[in-house]
Amino acid sequence: MMRLHKLYHRCSLVSTFSTSSSSTLCSSSSLSPPFLSLLNHNSYSTSIHTSGFLKSSNNLKKKNSLKSINMMNKSNSIKFHSVIVSATNEDGKGTSNNGSVPSSSSSVLEDDEISSLGGGYRLPPPELKDIVDAPPLPALSFSPQRDKILFLKRRALPPLTDLARPEEKLAGMRIDAKCNTRSRMSFYTGIGIHQLFQDGTLGPEKEVHGFPDGAKLNFVSWSHDGRHLSFSIRFDEEDNNSSKLRVWVADVETGKAKPLFQSPDIYLNAVFDNYVWVDDSTVLVCTIPLSRGDPPKKPLVPSGPKIQSNEQKNVVQLRTFQDLLKDEYDEDLFEYYATSQLVLASLDGSVKTFGPPAVYTSLDPSPDQKYLLLSSIHRPYSFIVPCGRFPKKVDVWTTDGKFIRELCDLPLAEDIPIAFNSVRKGMRSINWRADKPSTLYWVETQDGGDAKVEVSPRDIVYTQPADPVDSQQLEVLHQLDLRYGGISWCDESLALVYESWYKTRRTKTWVIAPGNKDVSPRILFDRSSEDVYSDPGSPMLRRTPAGTYIIAKVKKENDPGIYVLLNGSGATPEGNIPFLDLFDINTATKERIWQSNKEKYFESVVALMSDQNEGDLYIDQLKVLTSKESKTENTQYYLQSWPDKKVCQITNFPHPYPQLASLQKEMIRYQRKDGVQLTATLYLPPGYDPSKDGPLPCLVWSYPGEFKSKDAAGQVRGSPNEFAGIGPTSALLWLARRFAILSGPTIPIIGEGDEEANDRYVEQLVGSAEAAVEEVIRRGVAHPNKIAVGGHSYGAFMTANLLAHAPHLFCCGIARSGAYNRTLTPFGFQNEDRTLWEATSTYVEMSPFMSANKIKKPILLIHGEEDNNPGTLTMQSDRFFNALKGHGALCRLVVLPFESHGYAARESIMHVLWETDRWLQKFCVNTSDVVADLDVKDSEINKAVPASGGGGAEQDDIELEGLQITPRSSLW
């Protein structure tokens, strides 16, 4: 994933080399994507670019379940009518005079009689269903030469039968044994090729053809010269299974595709890496070994007991990893599916086996196409950590199959400390220099990998040729006192080295001259990663003839200065205003050459488009790809050219949900009682007028974040002009049901200095929620007694805590895929790296499970039955529900078969929406009767409400319980 072009919710820079790469295996990171791919956020599903891990039950249970799924679906339409007939007006719009959903207690009672316990999968009201069922927009992929665009076509939500396929849970992964790949992969249904002309117009679509109808396409990749496309295909077979994957290649000029291998017996092994273009006509492929027989059979009787021992008294602290190997049979099964035979295949049909079979995890050709960097893992495996910590071997080979040397053979890493910034011992982040033909670099820790050890330097970066001779010894490139964070290469005179430290939020950028030891490294930027207002931006990259990406140096006529382009998000107190600066690397002076329109639109620079030619890049020849959107206009892409900054529109995507095209959006600011500035995005339904319609039922959807300073916590993130992205389980869907939505109200948990943020978690959580509720009531848009709260993962944890500790604020809650008992995650969670025994009171006080007796407001718990996210085991919701039920709480638990941490299947998502809507209608819209039933005093409910009755008038890369994603609250 290219880190240097910041593309938040609008699109994703993705290398489709690895559509379902492992979240548990740390493969070599690279700043040189093979091509640029844009995925419009409007069509995200919650699992579209995750690994799609799926926890399996036994195969017999799954086959039986498959038989019942279609039977349940057949009755959905009949049951659906019994719900929606009484939930809508005669005109079917579902609105009333006050702008809220019509009250109908009789429909709620009838609904309860039908489906309070079971009743099959349900469909939500059409206002929600129609938005979710809208056809997805395609992903876009630009050719290396930037003269062609692929439109990668996708289907809507997958059926539950896709998730119900048998799979193996091994070493932290979930494997589809039939396909020999990760389970539950998304896929493309077709590829359209368009010529991109200099004026920004597109030529007619040319369909890639030649493969059978119904094929599922994955791992789409351009050849270096842009003349060919490679991709894998698979088919649905009988018994709901998919075929194994085959590699195909298409000619870009004609669109004609054909199999890469003439033999029908060569299949792709895509458990880890899959294939890579070595040069313009040769592909290195991970294949299933031809000699592989049937999978190992599980013994009826084990050879002995399962024994774990720590007789050496080692300190091994681990987070709650899931899907680990359990016994010797699992070890054999993992090796069976993960082992690949590398094959060099040429477009002329020639095939050559490459190296021995092994569990290869990454394949990286050198920029000069002479060498290959091959990473693999091997025994001894582990029963307590995932495969990313297994013994790892890294070798250098020539591209014609000659072994050169072993770079390292790292031992099993079961003892990496849980403290943030702790790392594996030995060589790590091994990569090719993007600016050199075949030079390697890597980093080695000097603190034993333990972040708690004080040492200087902490990390050392080394460099060495791929095949060194005696005179070419290992060289120290740079030494760092914080933790290494990557390198952006340019040439022998310029590279940028990044380091950071989580505890202090400090981040530094160094300027080094890799080829000149006489030039001392110097700090370019030294700042807090939390201080978004001071973010100078990231250097833009240009493509080299070798297909790598380096920092783009820009020249001015008659100016000897060295300039780079800094692409920044432009955070300000008024919201993000993205920019492009021409930055003098020597003097640190900058000139703003482009900035987003801040009045109506939100624009950003996506990528450099004038890098297809060799030689110097002059500012007057600059061409960039930009995106543009507004509150009501969805994202479109443009070419902008210097010197006149002429703009040409490339895409014209239709509005994905025209029924909400005129929604109202406002970024609001307010203050917590302790003086911390807070922000949120307030959405109101189309046509809503508070003076005429009065206050609405309101849904507050959020996710807490940790900060080291009050000032940073109060900074504004995001833009009021960004388009409202609505995913299939987004809270914004309830705009169609006439709710006010307070999306992403900041809930900063602050620990300044040596203070630990979580030691005052509940206090700060409640204070933030009180401020948010008071603000929407003050504005007159939310009814004081009709405010619901919800969240996913750590947001679900937040929801349960708020209902326990702030019952006066909310009428009900929706908690999806959360963890509620922190004693079940004793070695850290989220951003907490102290253990249960080091911070016992914090763990207990933060756990809503321990306060289950205090929860009196209705709470809806939803969880995937096969949640494999560290920390959020399905058991968390089971036990929390039992605790609530044991104290007479009004609660409901919905467990979704076959679903993981994020929900993927259409049946599941529709049912989640139905459950959520039912809960909101009953306990938020029709809350008056419920209040009396719950025996909650009016004074408690209105505790935060002014006497006047209301006045009448995201840091990115948050870790969701160990799962690293780029969250956007509306996508949940």
Side-chain angles (χ1 to χ4, degrees):
M1 192 74 73
M2 186 161 63
R3 58 167 287 177
L4 300 177
H5 298 311
K6 296 189 175 180
L7 310 176
Y8 298 101
H9 70 287
R10 300 171 307 284
C11 53
S12 294
L13 276 170
V14 296
S15 164
T16 48
F17 264 174
S18 184
T19 309
S20 61
S21 60
S22 171
S23 63
T24 59
L25 185 75
C26 299
S27 59
S28 301
S29 60
S30 173
L31 297 178
S32 54
F35 60 88
L36 177 64
S37 178
L38 306 177
L39 179 62
N40 193 290
H41 72 97
N42 304 327
S43 52
Y44 278 168
S45 73
T46 55
S47 64
I48 193 74
H49 275 294
T50 63
S51 302
F53 296 148
L54 179 63
K55 189 175 183 179
S56 67
S57 53
N58 61 71
N59 294 349
L60 178 61
K61 178 180 177 182
K62 290 196 172 185
K63 290 181 180 178
N64 291 337
S65 300
L66 287 175
K67 295 177 182 178
S68 63
I69 289 172
N70 290 331
M71 295 176 63
M72 289 188 288
N73 289 340
K74 291 178 181 178
S75 61
N76 282 345
S77 58
I78 300 174
K79 294 176 183 176
F80 175 58
H81 288 296
S82 67
V83 179
I84 68 167
V85 166
S86 57
T88 57
N89 289 330
E90 290 180 358
D91 61 4
K93 295 180 180 178
T95 59
S96 58
N97 292 333
N98 67 354
S100 62
V101 180
S103 175
S104 178
S105 58
S106 61
S107 69
V108 174
L109 292 175
E110 179 184 3
D111 182 41
D112 280 350
E113 293 171 357
I114 295 173
S115 61
S116 61
L117 293 174
Y121 287 93
R122 309 301 296 272
L123 292 173
E127 304 98 291
L128 307 179
K129 174 180 172 295
D130 291 349
I131 295 174
V132 175
D133 272 342
L137 298 176
L140 303 183
S141 171
F142 289 78
S143 67
Q145 287 71 31
R146 308 293 196 252
D147 60 347
K148 294 181 178 62
I149 306 179
L150 302 183
F151 277 57
L152 303 171
K153 301 169 186 180
R154 301 179 294 121
R155 65 172 181 180
L157 298 173
L160 189 60
T161 51
D162 279 11
L163 275 64
R165 291 169 176 159
E167 60 198 346
E168 303 291 346
K169 297 175 292 179
L170 301 167
M173 301 185 299
R174 293 179 177 182
I175 297 173
D176 185 326
K178 294 292 184 181
C179 297
N180 217 105
T181 186
R182 300 297 177 90
S183 61
R184 203 169 50 168
M185 287 198 309
S186 58
F187 59 87
Y188 301 115
T189 59
I191 303 174
I193 305 172
H194 291 266
Q195 186 76 30
L196 176 61
F197 297 107
Q198 290 296 318
D199 61 0
T201 58
L202 298 181
E205 182 173 87
K206 184 187 305 173
E207 279 280 350
V208 174
H209 59 280
F211 51 83
D213 293 338
K216 300 177 180 181
L217 281 59
N218 287 96
F219 312 122
V220 181
S221 176
W222 292 90
S223 62
H224 297 321
D225 59 7
R227 297 175 57 192
H228 293 91
L229 293 173
S230 56
F231 52 91
S232 70
I233 67 169
R234 55 193 163 109
F235 306 95
D236 283 332
E237 296 179 336
E238 295 180 0
D239 299 325
N240 195 48
N241 289 318
S242 284
S243 65
K244 292 183 174 64
L245 280 68
R246 298 183 187 275
V247 182
W248 283 56
V249 175
D251 184 287
V252 171
E253 287 302 317
T254 64
K256 175 67 175 176
K258 64 178 182 179
L260 176 63
F261 298 106
Q262 296 179 2
S263 169
D265 299 323
I266 301 179
Y267 297 101
L268 179 67
N269 187 340
V271 169
F272 288 108
D273 210 344
N274 40 75
Y275 56 81
V276 62
W277 286 89
V278 175
D279 55 39
D280 294 338
S281 61
T282 308
V283 185
L284 182 66
V285 185
C286 290
T287 68
I288 298 174
L290 293 174
S291 60
R292 190 178 81 172
D294 294 332
K297 293 184 178 180
K298 188 176 183 66
L300 293 176
V301 178
S303 59
K306 298 177 181 178
I307 299 173
Q308 296 188 52
S309 175
N310 191 34
E311 297 177 36
Q312 295 78 25
K313 298 183 179 181
N314 295 323
V315 177
V316 179
Q317 299 179 348
L318 300 168
R319 294 214 172 186
T320 48
F321 299 120
Q322 298 193 54
D323 299 340
L324 302 176
L325 300 177
K326 300 180 292 297
D327 50 32
E328 293 179 1
Y329 167 73
D330 275 1
E331 290 183 308
D332 293 340
L333 203 61
F334 168 74
E335 201 160 63
Y336 175 85
Y337 288 114
T339 298
S340 295
Q341 172 63 63
L342 298 182
V343 173
L344 274 174
S346 177
L347 298 184
D348 62 12
S350 61
V351 173
K352 175 185 177 182
T353 58
F354 190 104
V359 182
Y360 294 103
T361 57
S362 66
L363 321 172
D364 297 297
S366 61
D368 63 3
Q369 304 171 358
K370 292 183 178 179
Y371 298 96
L372 282 165
L373 193 64
L374 302 182
S375 299
S376 60
I377 56 179
H378 59 81
R379 294 176 185 262
Y381 302 139
S382 171
F383 299 151
I384 62 174
V385 294
C387 58
R389 297 192 182 187
F390 288 178
K392 179 181 179 180
K393 188 167 175 281
V394 182
D395 295 330
V396 179
W397 292 66
T398 64
T399 52
D400 59 3
K402 178 185 176 183
F403 175 78
I404 299 298
R405 62 174 174 141
E406 178 186 288
L407 275 181
C408 64
D409 192 349
L410 305 177
L412 180 65
E414 292 183 331
D415 59 349
I416 298 176
I418 61 173
F420 283 98
N421 289 121
S422 294
V423 295
R424 189 175 195 159
K425 301 174 186 176
M427 298 171 65
R428 69 182 198 277
S429 301
I430 306 171
N431 284 296
W432 298 106
R433 275 186 58 169
D435 62 326
K436 300 285 283 183
S438 54
T439 299
L440 292 161
Y441 71 98
W442 64 87
V443 63
E444 294 186 31
T445 180
Q446 306 302 299
D447 56 14
D450 189 347
K452 292 184 178 180
V453 174
E454 295 295 333
V455 64
S456 179
R458 189 174 292 276
D459 274 339
I460 298 179
V461 183
Y462 296 97
T463 183
Q464 192 177 44
D467 189 8
V469 296
D470 294 339
S471 61
Q472 294 175 306
Q473 298 300 317
L474 186 66
E475 292 186 12
V476 174
L477 181 70
H478 192 55
Q479 298 184 2
L480 302 166
D481 286 336
L482 307 181
R483 189 63 78 200
Y484 168 81
I487 300 179
S488 297
W489 298 97
C490 182
D491 52 31
E492 290 283 34
S493 66
L494 175 63
L496 299 181
V497 184
Y498 309 99
E499 63 174 334
S500 63
W501 198 248
Y502 176 77
K503 278 291 185 183
T504 61
R505 308 302 198 271
R506 189 179 183 187
T507 179
K508 294 196 289 187
T509 302
W510 291 84
V511 178
I512 65 171
N516 190 344
K517 294 183 179 180
D518 295 332
V519 178
S520 298
R522 59 185 175 88
I523 294 178
L524 185 63
F525 304 120
D526 187 352
R527 47 182 292 274
S528 169
S529 59
E530 290 183 339
D531 182 11
V532 293
Y533 292 170
S534 70
D535 187 352
S538 300
M540 296 198 72
L541 305 180
R542 67 173 297 174
R543 188 177 186 274
T544 68
T548 62
Y549 283 77
I550 61 174
I551 296 173
K553 274 188 178 180
V554 179
K555 290 189 175 183
K556 289 182 175 181
E557 292 289 349
N558 303 317
D559 186 337
I562 301 176
Y563 297 94
V564 298
L565 297 167
L566 293 184
N567 184 12
S569 59
T572 73
E574 290 73 42
N576 288 0
I577 306 173
F579 63 83
L580 190 63
D581 281 350
L582 191 63
F583 184 83
D584 189 317
I585 204 74
N586 291 324
T587 65
T589 57
K590 59 186 178 182
E591 174 190 352
R592 188 139 298 176
I593 62 173
W594 178 91
Q595 188 169 12
S596 171
N597 177 312
K598 62 183 179 181
E599 301 303 324
K600 177 182 178 181
Y601 291 101
F602 178 79
E603 302 168 288
S604 65
V605 174
V606 177
L608 189 64
M609 299 293 283
S610 52
D611 60 348
Q612 65 270 35
N613 296 321
E614 294 186 53
D616 295 330
L617 178 62
Y618 285 87
I619 186 66
D620 288 345
Q621 301 170 348
L622 187 64
K623 182 185 292 186
V624 296
L625 178 71
T626 64
S627 66
K628 182 178 180 180
E629 62 197 83
S630 73
K631 298 176 184 179
T632 57
E633 300 171 56
N634 54 307
T635 307
Q636 307 294 351
Y637 297 98
Y638 299 78
L639 287 179
Q640 187 159 356
S641 305
W642 271 253
D644 56 2
K645 297 185 181 180
K646 180 182 177 182
V647 177
C648 302
Q649 184 171 346
I650 297 176
T651 63
N652 188 24
F653 293 124
H655 198 291
Y657 21 89
Q659 57 271 60
L660 293 178
S662 58
L663 61 80
Q664 303 172 55
K665 175 185 177 182
E666 181 183 359
M667 183 173 285
I668 63 175
R669 301 197 68 181
Y670 49 97
Q671 185 171 293
R672 204 163 72 179
K673 289 180 180 178
D674 60 2
V676 176
Q677 294 293 319
L678 304 176
T679 60
T681 304
L682 177 63
Y683 293 89
L684 299 170
Y688 169 72
D689 184 342
S691 62
K692 296 180 181 179
D693 301 326
L696 296 171
C698 178
L699 175 57
V700 178
W701 200 268
S702 193
Y703 191 99
E706 290 80 9
F707 292 87
K708 289 302 292 182
S709 77
K710 292 182 179 179
D711 291 341
Q715 292 182 351
V716 177
R717 293 162 173 83
S719 167
N721 295 324
E722 288 178 279
F723 183 70
I726 302 181
T729 56
S730 170
L732 298 188
L733 288 166
W734 273 268
L735 290 168
R737 297 286 278 163
R738 307 298 291 176
F739 271 70
I741 307 296
L742 192 67
S743 177
T746 50
I747 301 182
I749 311 300
I750 304 167
E752 294 189 305
D754 294 330
E755 180 188 20
E756 293 288 348
N758 284 337
D759 288 346
R760 293 195 302 118
Y761 173 85
V762 172
E763 172 193 340
Q764 297 187 70
L765 176 70
V766 172
S768 299
E770 284 178 339
V773 168
E774 289 172 0
E775 180 65 16
V776 291
I777 293 173
R778 184 192 68 79
R779 289 171 171 262
V781 297
H783 191 291
N785 293 346
K786 298 184 177 183
I787 302 176
V789 63
H792 184 99
S793 195
Y794 207 53
F797 176 74
M798 168 206 76
T799 298
N801 266 307
L802 286 173
L803 294 187
H805 302 293
H808 58 287
L809 297 178
F810 302 104
C811 61
C812 65
I814 298 106
R816 300 176 185 166
S817 299
Y820 309 103
N821 183 354
R822 285 303 163 198
T823 67
L824 297 178
T825 55
F827 291 108
F829 58 90
Q830 199 69 5
N831 292 320
E832 178 61 70
D833 61 0
R834 295 173 296 173
T835 70
L836 169 64
W837 299 272
E838 293 170 327
T840 305
S841 60
T842 297
Y843 271 66
V844 172
E845 290 168 9
M846 287 183 69
S847 298
F849 180 87
M850 303 301 181
S851 300
N853 60 316
K854 299 179 181 179
I855 296 179
K856 306 301 181 183
K857 293 297 181 66
I859 182 169
L860 171 64
L861 304 174
I862 302 175
H863 216 119
E865 189 174 28
E866 312 293 351
D867 193 331
N868 68 337
N869 187 44
T872 56
L873 290 77
T874 309
M875 174 182 64
Q876 289 272 5
S877 286
D878 288 334
R879 293 189 176 180
F880 188 41
F881 175 74
N882 287 330
L884 292 167
K885 189 170 61 171
H887 290 88
L890 200 166
C891 53
R892 181 177 174 93
L893 171 62
V894 179
V895 177
L896 303 170
F898 308 117
E899 293 289 354
S900 187
H901 191 60
Y903 318 138
R906 182 179 184 274
E907 293 90 335
S908 302
I909 288 172
M910 291 298 180
H911 190 83
V912 166
L913 300 182
W914 178 83
E915 290 279 0
T916 305
D917 190 68
R918 170 186 176 273
W919 206 253
L920 292 174
Q921 297 304 315
K922 184 173 183 180
F923 300 118
C924 188
V925 175
N926 303 299
T927 189
S928 57
D929 294 334
V930 175
V931 171
D933 292 341
L934 295 177
D935 194 26
V936 179
K937 296 179 181 179
D938 290 341
S939 60
E940 291 180 317
I941 296 174
N942 296 308
K943 187 175 180 181
V945 181
S948 63
E954 122 185 334
Q955 100 188 2
D956 53 309
D957 287 337
I958 296 173
E959 183 178 354
L960 298 186
E961 296 287 353
L963 177 66
Q964 194 77 17
I965 68 166
T966 304
R968 175 174 168 82
S969 58
S970 63
L971 294 184
W972 294 116

